[in-house]
Structure formats: structure tokens, C-alpha cells
Amino acid sequence: MPPVKEAALRLGLAVHQPERVRRPEVVEQLRAIAPDAMVVVGYGQIIPQSILDIPPHGIINVHASLLPKYRGAAPIQWAIARGESRTGVTTMRIDAGLDTGDMLLKWETEIGAEETAVELGERLAVAGADLLVRTIAELKEIRPEAQDGAQATLAPILKREDGHIDWKLSPTEILNRVRGFVPWPGCYGFLGGQRFHIWKAKLGGNGVAAGALRAVNRKLYAGGLELLEVQLEGKKRMPAAAFLNGFPLKGDEVLA
């Protein structure tokens, strides 16, 4: 059970978990409740128009970006991967589009220089909860703002192949992806045919060519980066020095 359900049950609140929200009996159940407003956060199903039309004050969504930037399923990951220095949370009224509804309130923050998607996600979750409470409390006074579609960017759902490192990218661009694509799909190349994940790194190439893997003084380098935590397929995630204990490099290895 997610924490929201656990809390609701402790408080004696009714909990319904329909397998498909668009089924007629579910729509009728929601109509019978006659809510003034509804809230949707991180919900994996498309809300049909028959439900969008039920609450007079709309369905409120919490989205982890400064809309209209980064509409879609992975806004936190793509904001970091694309080198953004700021992001935030937006509350909005859901419409039939993909994160295209009118904006209500926003909260903005800097993205830390070393912050990962997991760390940023934890901060935005807390901020988003606070912003949602404030949005509901002030809902009748808030003046909704239409999104400027010309300023929109997309944050599509991540695929495993998004983590495959393109060594033609700059070291900073690769590092941003390493920070952004945790915990999944991670950033990786292939070492001797085995997937080689780079989980943590920092800038510092030591003259190593893009796509090459080199050990220098017990440190590990690749593509303009010093690798700090890595994982070879079938092994545990480990510090680079521990990796070199079991996989000593002789000259440069190729990361495909």
C-alpha cells in the first residue's frame, strides 16, 4: 500500500482502487461523491473527459517542473540531464492534453551542482505536497494562467537505451546524464561486451580520449570524467578503486 492509502485507512477514510478509472461504474461512483475538486499526483492512467467534467473546480495535478517546460513522465530526470540550473513544482488543472492545463501556483528552486534525480525528487515531493495544500486552500482566489505552448518542452518516459552514453557529448553533458538517470536506466557503456554502469562521476579527464577507460594512480577515467562509482554487469555497484582491485586495466580499454 502506498503511504496515502495507509494514512487514509488509519483515519477511517474510504479507499477505492479501481483497476481502470474509465469504467462506467467508477465514473458513476465519482459522480455520486460529488467532489468540489479532485487531486491527481503521479497517476499512470489517462483521465477521461467524463471524469474531468465532474468537479466544478477541476482536477488538480502536481507536476515536478516549471510548466510549460518538461511536460511528460520524467521531468526531474530530463531537467538534470539537459543541464538545467533551476526547476520547481507547478500545480495545474488537468485537461485532455499532456500536462497542458492551466497553471495555478508554482514553487521554484535551484538544482544543486551535484544533485541527482533521486535527491531532487525527494526535495520536490515535499515542496509539491506543501504547494498542493496551499493550492486547495486558495483555489477559489487563484487566477489560472494558460500555458504558452511555444515555450513547452517534453520530458518523455525514459527508455533503457537513453542511458547508453554517446561519447561524442561533452564531459559536462555526460555527467548531467549520469546525475539525471538514477536510479534507472543509469548511464552505461559496454566493456568487453558487458554493460558497464557509471553511477557517480565528476569532471576530470586526465587526457583520456572519449570512449576510452583508463586507470591512473588507482583512479579511473573515461571521456573527460573521473569515475567514482561503477558497476560491471553481474557485479555489485562499487567505488572505482574497488573495481580496479578485481579488474586491473592494462592500458586503455574501449567503452562502446
Side-chain angles (χ1 to χ4, degrees):
M1 293 188 290
V4 170
K5 180 177 179 180
E6 291 178 349
L9 293 176
R10 281 199 309 271
L11 295 170
L13 301 176
V15 176
H16 304 280
Q17 290 183 287
E19 190 173 323
R20 293 287 180 267
V21 73
R22 60 176 58 249
R23 287 178 176 168
E25 63 271 21
V26 177
V27 177
E28 289 308 311
Q29 184 181 51
L30 290 171
R31 282 203 185 103
I33 294 171
D36 292 322
M38 296 166 63
V39 171
V40 170
V41 183
Y43 193 58
Q45 298 184 40
I46 294 174
I47 309 296
Q49 192 65 45
S50 57
I51 293 178
L52 292 176
D53 292 337
I54 291 174
H57 292 288
I59 300 181
I60 313 306
N61 176 242
V62 182
H63 187 75
S65 80
L66 297 174
L67 290 171
K69 296 189 75 172
Y70 298 103
R71 295 172 176 171
I76 296 171
Q77 293 90 334
W78 284 112
I80 294 177
R82 291 175 183 162
E84 298 286 353
S85 61
R86 298 190 69 81
T87 189
V89 178
T90 305
T91 51
M92 56 171 279
R93 280 201 176 109
I94 290 179
D95 63 11
L98 176 64
D99 299 326
T100 56
D102 289 350
M103 301 177 292
L104 300 172
L105 295 178
K106 288 186 177 181
W107 177 85
E108 189 171 346
T109 185
E110 289 188 1
I111 300 175
E114 298 180 0
E115 198 166 23
T116 67
V118 172
E119 294 163 343
L120 179 58
E122 290 173 350
R123 290 205 297 121
L124 295 187
V126 174
D130 291 342
L131 193 68
L132 174 61
V133 171
R134 181 184 156 204
T135 299
I136 293 172
E138 301 174 8
L139 194 54
K140 293 181 181 180
E141 290 75 45
I142 295 171
R143 299 183 65 178
E145 179 185 353
Q147 295 188 42
D148 180 0
Q151 302 297 318
T153 60
L154 295 179
I157 190 168
L158 288 166
K159 306 182 295 295
R160 178 177 286 276
E161 52 266 33
D162 289 323
H164 192 182
I165 297 171
D166 179 357
W167 296 104
K168 295 190 291 293
L169 296 175
S170 71
T172 297
E173 289 173 314
I174 294 172
L175 181 58
N176 288 339
R177 286 176 170 250
V178 170
R179 293 167 47 227
F181 292 165
V182 291
W184 193 89
C187 276
Y188 60 87
F190 289 92
L191 180 62
Q194 291 181 292
R195 198 180 303 269
F196 179 79
H197 273 279
I198 299 171
W199 290 114
K200 189 174 182 180
K202 65 180 181 180
L203 294 176
N206 203 37
V208 180
L213 185 67
R214 181 187 300 172
V216 180
N217 297 327
R218 303 293 299 159
K219 293 184 178 181
L220 193 59
Y221 299 92
L225 301 175
E226 180 185 343
L227 310 189
L228 303 176
E229 291 184 17
V230 299
Q231 182 178 12
L232 189 63
E233 188 172 343
K235 304 292 184 181
K236 294 181 179 179
R237 176 174 170 172
M238 62 185 70
F243 168 78
L244 289 172
N245 286 337
F247 199 103
L249 300 181
K250 298 177 181 179
D252 287 357
E253 296 277 356
V254 175
L255 281 175

PDB file of all heavy atoms in Angstrom, residues 149-162:
ATOM      1  N   GLY A 149       2.255  27.408 -25.182  1.00  0.00           N
ATOM      2  CA  GLY A 149       2.709  26.197 -25.858  1.00  0.00           C
ATOM      3  C   GLY A 149       4.014  26.375 -26.612  1.00  0.00           C
ATOM      4  O   GLY A 149       4.776  25.416 -26.799  1.00  0.00           O
ATOM      5  N   ALA A 150       4.322  27.625 -27.034  1.00  0.00           N
ATOM      6  CA  ALA A 150       5.569  27.872 -27.773  1.00  0.00           C
ATOM      7  C   ALA A 150       6.795  27.687 -26.886  1.00  0.00           C
ATOM      8  O   ALA A 150       7.906  27.482 -27.394  1.00  0.00           O
ATOM      9  CB  ALA A 150       5.554  29.287 -28.352  1.00  0.00           C
ATOM     10  N   GLN A 151       6.612  27.761 -25.554  1.00  0.00           N
ATOM     11  CA  GLN A 151       7.723  27.591 -24.626  1.00  0.00           C
ATOM     12  C   GLN A 151       7.833  26.163 -24.090  1.00  0.00           C
ATOM     13  O   GLN A 151       8.707  25.865 -23.279  1.00  0.00           O
ATOM     14  CB  GLN A 151       7.548  28.553 -23.438  1.00  0.00           C
ATOM     15  CG  GLN A 151       7.467  30.012 -23.821  1.00  0.00           C
ATOM     16  CD  GLN A 151       8.741  30.506 -24.486  1.00  0.00           C
ATOM     17  OE1 GLN A 151       9.845  30.180 -24.052  1.00  0.00           O
ATOM     18  NE2 GLN A 151       8.584  31.278 -25.550  1.00  0.00           N
ATOM     19  N   ALA A 152       6.964  25.287 -24.551  1.00  0.00           N
ATOM     20  CA  ALA A 152       6.903  23.937 -23.994  1.00  0.00           C
ATOM     21  C   ALA A 152       8.081  23.079 -24.436  1.00  0.00           C
ATOM     22  O   ALA A 152       8.580  23.201 -25.560  1.00  0.00           O
ATOM     23  CB  ALA A 152       5.598  23.265 -24.406  1.00  0.00           C
ATOM     24  N   THR A 153       8.544  22.237 -23.513  1.00  0.00           N
ATOM     25  CA  THR A 153       9.498  21.183 -23.837  1.00  0.00           C
ATOM     26  C   THR A 153       8.946  19.874 -23.288  1.00  0.00           C
ATOM     27  O   THR A 153       8.082  19.872 -22.422  1.00  0.00           O
ATOM     28  CB  THR A 153      10.885  21.449 -23.222  1.00  0.00           C
ATOM     29  OG1 THR A 153      10.762  21.528 -21.792  1.00  0.00           O
ATOM     30  CG2 THR A 153      11.480  22.743 -23.745  1.00  0.00           C
ATOM     31  N   LEU A 154       9.456  18.759 -23.795  1.00  0.00           N
ATOM     32  CA  LEU A 154       8.936  17.449 -23.415  1.00  0.00           C
ATOM     33  C   LEU A 154       9.943  16.684 -22.570  1.00  0.00           C
ATOM     34  O   LEU A 154      11.157  16.813 -22.751  1.00  0.00           O
ATOM     35  CB  LEU A 154       8.570  16.637 -24.652  1.00  0.00           C
ATOM     36  CG  LEU A 154       7.423  17.193 -25.508  1.00  0.00           C
ATOM     37  CD1 LEU A 154       7.184  16.298 -26.713  1.00  0.00           C
ATOM     38  CD2 LEU A 154       6.150  17.328 -24.681  1.00  0.00           C
ATOM     39  N   ALA A 155       9.420  15.889 -21.661  1.00  0.00           N
ATOM     40  CA  ALA A 155      10.228  15.007 -20.803  1.00  0.00           C
ATOM     41  C   ALA A 155       9.646  13.606 -20.923  1.00  0.00           C
ATOM     42  O   ALA A 155       8.940  13.137 -20.034  1.00  0.00           O
ATOM     43  CB  ALA A 155      10.202  15.491 -19.367  1.00  0.00           C
ATOM     44  N   PRO A 156       9.920  12.923 -22.040  1.00  0.00           N
ATOM     45  CA  PRO A 156       9.278  11.625 -22.281  1.00  0.00           C
ATOM     46  C   PRO A 156       9.722  10.564 -21.292  1.00  0.00           C
ATOM     47  O   PRO A 156      10.779  10.673 -20.664  1.00  0.00           O
ATOM     48  CB  PRO A 156       9.730  11.278 -23.701  1.00  0.00           C
ATOM     49  CG  PRO A 156      11.013  12.023 -23.880  1.00  0.00           C
ATOM     50  CD  PRO A 156      10.854  13.302 -23.101  1.00  0.00           C
ATOM     51  N   ILE A 157       8.912   9.517 -21.172  1.00  0.00           N
ATOM     52  CA  ILE A 157       9.254   8.402 -20.307  1.00  0.00           C
ATOM     53  C   ILE A 157      10.614   7.838 -20.713  1.00  0.00           C
ATOM     54  O   ILE A 157      10.942   7.745 -21.900  1.00  0.00           O
ATOM     55  CB  ILE A 157       8.154   7.318 -20.375  1.00  0.00           C
ATOM     56  CG1 ILE A 157       8.377   6.271 -19.289  1.00  0.00           C
ATOM     57  CG2 ILE A 157       8.064   6.683 -21.759  1.00  0.00           C
ATOM     58  CD1 ILE A 157       7.184   5.335 -19.107  1.00  0.00           C
ATOM     59  N   LEU A 158      11.426   7.502 -19.726  1.00  0.00           N
ATOM     60  CA  LEU A 158      12.780   7.018 -20.004  1.00  0.00           C
ATOM     61  C   LEU A 158      12.755   5.597 -20.546  1.00  0.00           C
ATOM     62  O   LEU A 158      11.971   4.753 -20.109  1.00  0.00           O
ATOM     63  CB  LEU A 158      13.632   7.072 -18.742  1.00  0.00           C
ATOM     64  CG  LEU A 158      14.037   8.470 -18.274  1.00  0.00           C
ATOM     65  CD1 LEU A 158      14.579   8.425 -16.859  1.00  0.00           C
ATOM     66  CD2 LEU A 158      15.066   9.083 -19.211  1.00  0.00           C
ATOM     67  N   LYS A 159      13.653   5.341 -21.479  1.00  0.00           N
ATOM     68  CA  LYS A 159      13.863   4.004 -22.027  1.00  0.00           C
ATOM     69  C   LYS A 159      15.275   3.558 -21.656  1.00  0.00           C
ATOM     70  O   LYS A 159      16.156   4.387 -21.408  1.00  0.00           O
ATOM     71  CB  LYS A 159      13.689   4.012 -23.550  1.00  0.00           C
ATOM     72  CG  LYS A 159      12.361   4.583 -24.024  1.00  0.00           C
ATOM     73  CD  LYS A 159      12.233   4.519 -25.529  1.00  0.00           C
ATOM     74  CE  LYS A 159      13.246   5.380 -26.252  1.00  0.00           C
ATOM     75  NZ  LYS A 159      13.071   6.820 -25.992  1.00  0.00           N
ATOM     76  N   ARG A 160      15.485   2.243 -21.636  1.00  0.00           N
ATOM     77  CA  ARG A 160      16.809   1.739 -21.262  1.00  0.00           C
ATOM     78  C   ARG A 160      17.908   2.332 -22.143  1.00  0.00           C
ATOM     79  O   ARG A 160      18.986   2.716 -21.662  1.00  0.00           O
ATOM     80  CB  ARG A 160      16.850   0.210 -21.359  1.00  0.00           C
ATOM     81  CG  ARG A 160      18.236  -0.372 -21.022  1.00  0.00           C
ATOM     82  CD  ARG A 160      18.248  -1.876 -21.055  1.00  0.00           C
ATOM     83  NE  ARG A 160      17.573  -2.438 -19.909  1.00  0.00           N
ATOM     84  CZ  ARG A 160      18.152  -2.621 -18.720  1.00  0.00           C
ATOM     85  NH1 ARG A 160      19.408  -2.271 -18.524  1.00  0.00           N
ATOM     86  NH2 ARG A 160      17.478  -3.161 -17.725  1.00  0.00           N
ATOM     87  N   GLU A 161      17.620   2.479 -23.429  1.00  0.00           N
ATOM     88  CA  GLU A 161      18.654   2.957 -24.354  1.00  0.00           C
ATOM     89  C   GLU A 161      19.012   4.428 -24.127  1.00  0.00           C
ATOM     90  O   GLU A 161      20.058   4.891 -24.594  1.00  0.00           O
ATOM     91  CB  GLU A 161      18.237   2.733 -25.804  1.00  0.00           C
ATOM     92  CG  GLU A 161      16.884   3.273 -26.179  1.00  0.00           C
ATOM     93  CD  GLU A 161      15.787   2.237 -26.070  1.00  0.00           C
ATOM     94  OE1 GLU A 161      15.871   1.351 -25.178  1.00  0.00           O
ATOM     95  OE2 GLU A 161      14.838   2.314 -26.874  1.00  0.00           O
ATOM     96  N   ASP A 162      18.183   5.169 -23.402  1.00  0.00           N
ATOM     97  CA  ASP A 162      18.536   6.552 -23.087  1.00  0.00           C
ATOM     98  C   ASP A 162      19.798   6.626 -22.233  1.00  0.00           C
ATOM     99  O   ASP A 162      20.504   7.641 -22.237  1.00  0.00           O
ATOM    100  CB  ASP A 162      17.385   7.247 -22.342  1.00  0.00           C
ATOM    101  CG  ASP A 162      16.189   7.529 -23.228  1.00  0.00           C
ATOM    102  OD1 ASP A 162      16.398   7.875 -24.411  1.00  0.00           O
ATOM    103  OD2 ASP A 162      15.048   7.410 -22.749  1.00  0.00           O
TER     104      ASP A 162
END
